[in-house]
Amino acid sequence: MARQYLPCLLACALSPTLHAQESPDVNFGQAVHSITVPHNEPYLLDGPGRAEFLQQCVICHSPRYVVIQPTYPRKTWAAEVAKMRDEYGAPIPDAAVEPILDYLMFLQGKPAP
Amino acid sequence: MNTDDTFLKINRRRLLGLATGAGLVSLLPRQALSGSPDSAIAGQTASREQVRYPEKTGMILITDRPPQLETPLHFFRQDLTPNSAHFVRWHLSGYPTEVDTRTFRLRLDGLVDKPQSFTLEELVKGFDPVTLVAMNQCSGNARSLFSPQPPGSQWQFGAMGNAQWTGVRLKDVLARAGVKSGAVEVAFSGLDESPMPGLPKVVKSLKFDHAVDGDVMIAYAMNGEPLPMLNGFPLRLVVPGWYATYWIKSLAHIEVLEKPLSNIWMDVAYRIPDNPEINEEPGNLAKKTVPINRFATHSIFVRPEPEEQLLLNHPMMLEGLANDGGDGIARVEVSVDNGRTWVDALLDPEIGRFSWRRWRYLWTPREKGRYTFLVRATNRAGEGQPVTQWNRGGFARRMIESTSGMVV
């Protein structure tokens, strides 16, 4: 990326504290700054509760939020689902909670009890 | 069980055999720390994939939607982290991917005489610019190394970066609006939106006295260039010495409050045990928690990298960095003998009290076999590092760190 205005890199880096300088010539680039983020979501294997997981969880965030986690007991996952519902406001119906937990356990390679 | 698991188990057993006393946990190699005999599993050993995102270099993928990208450790061999390598962490899938700089406004309202709406040009031209070097760090940096491993973004040490920020003082901007008496906090939010209508936005607040301390700034440039979109283009709140949860990205709204902000981001999330060690036990959680705040004093190894092989009789410059919440690092010590003796590392010149400070220590391996190094920092206020630490959120990691590998 081209340097878009002259920084006071050296002088400022050497100064131990916040200090004023002349008004910089900031160039924010094109009038509309835009990026395109690639799709990069893990594919979800078929398993018990997959439909509920897709409908209630993946609608808001990538399944990667789940597959990066270490293996947790069902009660830890239940607390996570409760957090999503009660704190972050996810409108997960009661009937979907157990199927979602089944699928979370399935993803970690444990059978749904 | 894959080969990584086997490797970790073998080495944990070996180390348990070698280590004695209270320092046990700190003597385990980093990777072994990610597993726990207490947790249901043997630690996270998922591969750490490198990905390219717009305006970013190859970063370690933590999550994709919303994106969380970790900085590879080798970028910390320099004082300033390149913008393209600065870590990324969004909470909501409605994070901004497009900003029209002609229509963008920063709104300022609440308990003020004259509510304001600033264009970018008004911020750049209408206020005295300021610049400082400050380290930015996710509250959950290195969460994956806690044992047992708390749920959350499973970062290693790369959820941090050091940058030179240029912008305007928050106190100058607030003064333009004329803050009324009775202000207790200032709240901040960005362009990011929840993925579904009606779900809460990310809003964070600072105490009013903190907001006007002259250090807190609204940055429009990072290392002399506009911010990457994923790092908060066009404006980002910079709260020097405080965890990144307060550094609101794509800052679009500032509200002066007459009573403390109450929402999940202040009352429930990002809270830490109310004790200096920021510590609690899984079976005995702290009764009282407080919002996360200043950086704890901490230090890490940058070289050797985890499991890097060192060569017998070849001098090796051990390198790392240390930080605190703004008093400044006074001392960094390294142990090459599992904590029996400590030697002072050489500190690089200080480049700002909110910057991290890099350190070095020259060491020559004289025996083949496994090495384990420890590092600990002390700041100018005398704050050091505990041998062990854990908390339910995996926040504010401040324990003594170690790194291990083989001398060959």
Side-chain angles (χ1 to χ4, degrees):
Chain A
M1 186 188 298
R3 190 153 300 263
Q4 292 179 321
Y5 75 91
L6 191 67
C8 62
L9 199 61
L10 188 62
C12 298
L14 293 173
S15 165
T17 53
L18 197 72
H19 74 114
Q21 56 183 312
E22 286 182 17
S23 193
D25 179 21
V26 182
N27 181 350
F28 287 99
Q30 293 184 321
V32 178
H33 189 113
S34 175
I35 60 171
T36 302
V37 177
H39 175 276
N40 188 20
E41 306 209 357
Y43 175 74
L44 289 173
L45 295 174
D46 196 17
R50 182 179 188 266
E52 286 83 356
F53 181 76
L54 279 172
Q55 195 168 14
Q56 306 297 335
C57 307
V58 178
I59 190 171
C60 280
H61 64 79
S62 168
R64 204 175 298 277
Y65 275 71
V66 169
V67 301
I68 61 163
Q69 302 301 330
T71 314
Y72 289 121
R74 193 177 178 102
K75 67 175 170 35
T76 302
W77 285 117
E80 289 297 307
V81 173
K83 181 173 84 179
M84 291 296 154
R85 225 161 59 138
D86 304 339
E87 297 173 21
Y88 296 85
I92 303 171
D94 288 343
V97 171
E98 288 303 314
I100 289 170
L101 293 175
D102 288 346
Y103 192 68
L104 291 168
M105 298 305 286
F106 164 79
L107 277 181
Q108 332 181 122
K110 302 255 175 81
Chain B
M1 181 182 290
N2 64 31
T3 49
D4 283 353
D5 284 334
T6 311
F7 177 75
L8 290 177
K9 282 211 161 63
I10 288 166
N11 283 291
R12 180 184 298 135
R13 202 174 302 127
R14 258 179 77 168
L15 274 142
L16 286 171
L18 292 171
T20 54
L24 184 65
V25 172
S26 74
L27 301 178
L28 296 174
R30 261 181 209 163
Q31 289 189 326
L33 283 170
S34 65
S36 166
D38 305 319
S39 69
I41 49 89
Q44 189 217 359
T45 53
S47 68
R48 286 163 45 92
E49 181 190 348
Q50 284 233 2
V51 290
R52 286 295 295 262
Y53 271 62
E55 303 173 337
K56 306 301 289 180
T57 188
M59 303 279 283
I60 297 157
L61 178 66
I62 303 295
T63 62
D64 50 80
R65 176 177 56 100
Q68 301 185 73
L69 308 174
E70 177 170 342
T71 306
L73 195 63
H74 67 84
F75 283 104
F76 301 154
R77 296 178 192 183
Q78 49 197 325
D79 288 328
L80 298 181
T81 312
N83 293 358
S84 63
H86 199 97
F87 79 97
V88 170
R89 196 273 186 260
W90 290 93
H91 288 96
L92 305 176
S93 295
Y95 65 94
T97 55
E98 184 170 299
V99 173
D100 187 331
T101 59
R102 297 163 300 190
T103 57
F104 176 87
R105 297 290 183 276
L106 171 62
R107 292 183 298 123
L108 165 55
D109 52 31
L111 197 64
V112 297
D113 292 325
K114 297 160 288 181
Q116 303 283 318
S117 177
F118 300 105
T119 65
L120 291 173
E121 188 175 3
E122 284 166 348
L123 284 169
V124 173
K125 303 290 184 197
F127 295 89
D128 287 339
V130 290
T131 289
L132 90 169
V133 175
M135 167 178 162
N136 180 24
Q137 177 178 218
C138 179
S139 305
N141 193 20
R143 174 181 290 119
S144 71
L145 307 183
F146 282 111
S147 178
Q149 199 174 335
S153 308
Q154 300 300 338
W155 307 104
Q156 294 187 15
F157 286 116
M160 64 176 181
N162 210 33
Q164 184 206 53
W165 307 92
T166 301
V168 298
R169 289 184 184 88
L170 178 62
K171 73 169 185 179
D172 293 348
V173 174
L174 291 171
R176 193 69 58 90
V179 176
K180 294 179 178 173
S181 65
V184 299
E185 287 192 358
V186 183
F188 307 91
S189 60
L191 295 175
D192 44 326
E193 297 286 347
S194 68
M196 243 185 250
L199 304 195
K201 273 180 74 77
V202 178
V203 188
K204 297 290 289 191
S205 67
L206 298 174
K207 298 294 178 206
F208 184 75
D209 289 348
H210 184 190
V212 297
D213 71 357
D215 289 328
V216 179
M217 65 187 281
I218 300 166
Y220 45 70
M222 179 178 177
N223 296 327
E225 293 178 355
L227 283 73
M229 182 71 77
L230 292 173
N231 292 110
F233 182 90
L235 301 175
R236 181 168 198 171
L237 192 72
V238 170
V239 187
W242 281 49
Y243 285 97
T245 180
Y246 297 98
W247 298 41
I248 294 293
K249 295 181 292 300
S250 300
L251 179 69
H253 186 207
I254 300 173
E255 185 179 3
V256 180
L257 302 177
E258 58 189 334
K259 60 179 185 183
L261 178 66
S262 177
N263 66 14
I264 58 161
W265 304 103
M266 298 301 295
D267 300 340
V268 182
Y270 290 105
R271 293 183 73 91
I272 57 174
D274 185 22
N275 61 58
E277 296 77 23
I278 316 176
N279 188 56
E280 59 190 345
E281 306 294 329
N284 184 22
L285 298 179
K287 299 279 186 296
K288 189 175 177 220
T289 62
V290 294
I292 195 166
N293 45 79
R294 287 180 85 192
F295 291 155
T297 300
H298 192 221
S299 52
I300 68 163
F301 286 94
V302 172
R303 278 202 92 179
E305 300 241 358
E307 295 303 322
E308 185 172 349
Q309 287 188 346
L310 307 185
L311 298 179
L312 185 70
N313 293 327
H314 287 58
M316 167 72 183
M317 189 66 85
L318 313 188
E319 281 181 54
L321 43 93
N323 79 279
D324 77 329
D327 291 300
I329 291 297
R331 185 177 196 190
V332 173
E333 297 161 283
V334 173
S335 176
V336 297
D337 58 7
N338 282 341
R340 282 189 289 276
T341 60
W342 294 83
V343 286
D344 279 288
L346 190 65
L347 296 177
D348 275 12
E350 195 169 34
I351 55 172
R353 66 191 179 99
F354 298 113
S355 166
W356 65 42
R357 192 158 182 191
R358 286 160 22 84
W359 58 262
R360 296 149 205 283
Y361 178 70
L362 187 67
W363 185 72
T364 305
R366 297 298 184 195
E367 279 178 59
K368 291 190 179 183
R370 191 141 186 94
Y371 68 81
T372 296
F373 306 139
L374 311 180
V375 62
R376 67 185 183 194
T378 309
N379 79 353
R380 293 207 176 96
E383 182 181 86
Q385 297 185 235
V387 170
T388 63
Q389 180 199 15
W390 184 87
N391 59 68
R392 73 196 91 165
F395 289 136
R397 177 127 172 146
R398 55 165 308 193
M399 60 182 273
I400 292 174
E401 304 295 355
S402 65
T403 195
S404 299
M406 295 297 287
V407 174
V408 295

